Amino acid sequence: MANPSPLALIVFFLLLILTISATEYSRPPPKKIIAMRSSKPESHPQQVHISVVGADHMRITWIADDKHTQSLVEYGRASGVYDKSATGEHTTYRYFFYNSGTIHHVKIGPLDPDTVYYYRCGGIDDMYSFKTPPASLPIEFAVAGDLGQTEWTSSTLNHINASNYDMLLLPGDLSYADTNQPLWDSFGRLVEPLASARPWMVTQGNHEIEAFPIFDWFHPFASYNHRWRMPYEESGSSSNLYYSFDVAGGAVHVVMLGSYAEFGSDSDQYKWLVKDLGEVDREKTPWIIVLLHAPWYNTNAAHQGEGENMRRATEHLLYEARVDIVFAGHVHAYERFKRVYDNKANSCGPVHITIGDGGNREGLALDFKKDHKSASLSLFHEASFGHGRLKVLNRTHAHWSWHRNDDSEATVRDKVWIESLSASGACGAGQTTELSASGKDEL
Ligand SMILES: *[C@@H]1O[C@H](CO)[C@@H](O)[C@H](O)[C@H]1NC(C)=O
Ligand SMILES: *[C@@H]1O[C@H](CO)[C@@H](O)[C@H](O)[C@H]1NC(C)=O
């Protein structure tokens, strides 16, 4: 072929650029980290966040720089009237030259459902308030993974705040402190307005590990486990890295798995999971939702295969228990799959959703593979920052929507009704499900 003339080349490239810009939504770039400094006196509580413990208790966690602040929470149902109180415990940790403030954990209750409580921490008159989750359906979850602390995070938080959610579920990667400990404090301040007002239930991602292999006296997850203590003992787990809880009077069972804890069939996590799922009575609990960090199904070029060992080890347990939905993070994009099991469409398997697009500083994972072996299982994907909302309306129906942070406008990009597998007679989730520890269910 003859060489094209320079003019033809220029025209060709101009056309190419025009075509690309006409068809592609232009991806906003990552945004700056927001550094949140404390403007409060040392004795005052900061980084306040709450998490549910059992059916009617709440754990209030906060940090004070002053070592003498008491582990005390006073609370009540009227603004400024604290007619009840509880004391708890406190802890600190060191990380190289960093000394944490005093981290307080106080469990309060029993609390009434769907009720606003006002509270203060450490006897200091900074008033906070939260609303307890409802005792029955409906319930609304906000779901956001890989949150970080950038201007995109802030935009995600504003969009979540504008919804009337009852509880936030986070499938791992909180602060992106990446061993720079003051960034954990900054993250705590950034999320406080939301995390002090609704329970935030989290599991770990790879950014929570923060281990230094050569200095093995620095335990992995030191910061995460001290700051984000979850109700693991209450669900019979021996580790803060995996646990479960019930909400909406037991209508929804949420299982938080640890992608970075051992999961092989002789591990504690595996044995705990067998027992935990085995104890769910689908008559009382029509919904089971699982969260973990590294996705088992993923057509994005990022993090291919990283969830595969865990999938091979534990997917059959989730399938046999008829888990309804699995949320993952890790990949900085959104993707929703068909109901799947063992790499095939399966109407009795969970819906897998990757929601790792909360707003972290690493930016988006743009490259979805059209020729990926799971491409035919993937129903929707998009690389944009955003969050999800899961409204569990009744025993049979839940509505899922994914909301993109499109500048300041909230934009719904994906929505779908999800039917509980316990409602589907064909999958037999209404009856007691036999869990075989040995595994493979022939389809
Ligand atoms: C959240 O929304 C409420 C009103 O719905 C508002 O008063 C509050 O300032 C908002 N908080 C944040 C952090 O956006
Ligand atoms: C559950 O909610 C869905 C959606 O609103 C509705 O179609 C269905 O009839 C409801 N089921 C029951 C048992 O109320």
Side-chain angles (χ1 to χ4, degrees):
M1 200 176 101
N3 282 340
S5 75
L7 183 66
L9 271 178
I10 290 167
V11 170
F12 172 75
F13 280 113
L14 275 178
L15 278 175
L16 189 68
I17 288 164
L18 281 175
T19 324
I20 289 171
S21 52
T23 53
E24 297 265 297
Y25 163 73
S26 70
R27 303 287 155 207
K31 286 191 181 176
K32 285 206 302 282
I33 292 183
I34 301 176
M36 301 286 289
R37 293 193 173 76
S38 175
S39 53
K40 290 177 163 188
E42 288 204 333
S43 60
H44 283 234
Q46 43 164 300
Q47 308 177 45
V48 182
H49 66 87
I50 67 171
S51 46
V52 294
V53 186
D56 56 4
H57 285 69
M58 199 72 83
R59 179 174 285 122
I60 315 290
T61 298
W62 84 91
I63 301 185
D65 287 328
D66 180 348
K67 291 186 178 59
H68 305 292
T69 306
Q70 286 177 280
S71 299
L72 167 73
V73 170
E74 295 156 283
Y75 62 101
R77 292 174 58 153
S79 171
V81 182
Y82 309 113
D83 50 5
K84 295 199 170 63
S85 69
T87 53
E89 58 194 39
H90 58 264
T91 179
T92 57
Y93 73 96
R94 294 185 60 165
Y95 197 89
F96 289 93
F97 302 112
Y98 172 89
N99 290 308
S100 75
T102 307
I103 304 166
H104 299 267
H105 298 290
V106 179
K107 193 170 127 182
I108 64 171
L111 305 167
D112 291 330
D114 211 6
T115 301
V116 174
Y117 283 88
Y118 298 85
Y119 65 106
R120 67 179 186 185
C121 307
I124 302 290
D125 218 8
D126 294 348
M127 190 172 74
Y128 294 88
S129 68
F130 63 75
K131 189 176 81 64
T132 51
S136 58
L137 297 177
I139 185 168
E140 178 167 342
F141 300 97
V143 190
D146 303 64
L147 207 47
Q149 44 188 316
T150 70
E151 289 166 1
W152 281 118
T153 313
S154 171
S155 148
T156 302
L157 294 176
N158 287 337
H159 287 134
I160 292 174
N161 185 49
S163 76
N164 189 23
Y165 76 110
D166 296 300
M167 174 182 282
L168 182 123
L169 304 176
L170 197 163
D173 280 2
L174 284 71
S175 72
Y176 286 74
D178 298 334
T179 74
N180 180 2
Q181 298 301 306
L183 280 179
W184 276 105
D185 294 308
S186 173
F187 176 79
R189 293 178 200 118
L190 178 67
V191 302
E192 181 190 86
L194 278 79
S196 62
R198 295 288 186 280
W200 274 39
M201 308 307 290
V202 304
T203 188
Q204 92 278 183
N206 52 308
H207 287 269
E208 272 67 65
I209 305 174
E210 299 187 305
F212 268 89
I214 27 172
F215 301 108
D216 58 359
W217 59 88
F218 285 109
H219 295 295
F221 303 108
S223 181
Y224 175 73
N225 283 340
H226 279 90
R227 294 166 186 268
W228 290 84
R229 181 162 167 196
M230 292 291 122
Y232 66 94
E233 293 106 326
E234 289 77 4
S235 58
S237 157
S238 58
S239 166
N240 193 43
L241 302 179
Y242 46 88
Y243 65 97
S244 68
F245 59 95
D246 287 342
V247 275
V252 185
H253 185 64
V254 180
V255 182
M256 295 286 191
L257 293 183
S259 290
Y260 304 95
E262 295 288 320
F263 45 68
S265 59
D266 53 359
S267 67
D268 278 352
Q269 178 169 213
Y270 184 99
K271 290 174 197 156
W272 169 81
L273 181 59
V274 170
K275 184 166 183 294
D276 184 80
L277 292 173
E279 284 167 1
V280 178
D281 172 355
R282 294 306 291 270
E283 279 299 317
K284 292 201 192 92
T285 305
W287 292 91
I288 306 181
I289 298 169
V290 170
L291 280 88
L292 46 83
H293 190 61
W296 295 353
Y297 292 91
N298 167 29
T299 70
N300 195 291
H303 303 304
Q304 269 308 313
E306 290 182 28
E308 183 61 7
N309 286 344
M310 189 183 196
R311 184 191 72 77
R312 284 169 189 261
T314 55
E315 187 178 26
H316 65 280
L317 297 177
L318 273 50
Y319 176 71
E320 286 160 24
R322 301 295 184 253
V323 166
D324 294 292
I325 308 172
V326 176
F327 290 110
H330 206 31
V331 176
H332 301 159
Y334 171 74
E335 183 162 28
R336 176 169 60 84
F337 289 85
K338 294 177 180 171
R339 290 190 174 281
V340 283
Y341 176 56
D342 205 13
N343 288 312
K344 290 187 275 295
N346 185 314
S347 57
C348 298
V351 173
H352 283 255
I353 294 174
T354 302
I355 179 119
D357 58 342
N360 72 82
R361 63 174 164 182
E362 293 173 348
L364 292 164
L366 301 173
D367 186 10
F368 283 96
K369 296 286 179 203
K370 288 197 179 65
D371 57 352
H372 190 279
K373 69 173 168 28
S374 303
S376 65
L377 303 172
S378 176
L379 292 172
F380 184 96
H381 58 72
E382 181 175 320
S384 296
F385 292 114
H387 76 279
R389 294 179 191 172
L390 181 72
K391 290 180 202 171
V392 182
L393 285 160
N394 56 34
R395 292 182 61 83
T396 55
H397 284 73
H399 188 262
W400 166 253
S401 53
W402 176 61
H403 301 246
R404 178 168 90 187
N405 301 355
D406 215 2
D407 301 316
S408 56
E409 289 294 306
T411 307
V412 179
R413 289 287 293 155
D414 182 32
K415 53 181 198 249
V416 64
W417 284 101
I418 298 176
E419 263 189 77
S420 157
L421 289 178
S422 70
S424 152
C427 295
Q431 302 97 49
T432 317
T433 314
E434 283 291 315
L435 282 177
S436 63
S438 66
K440 295 285 178 200
D441 204 347
E442 291 304 322
L443 296 173

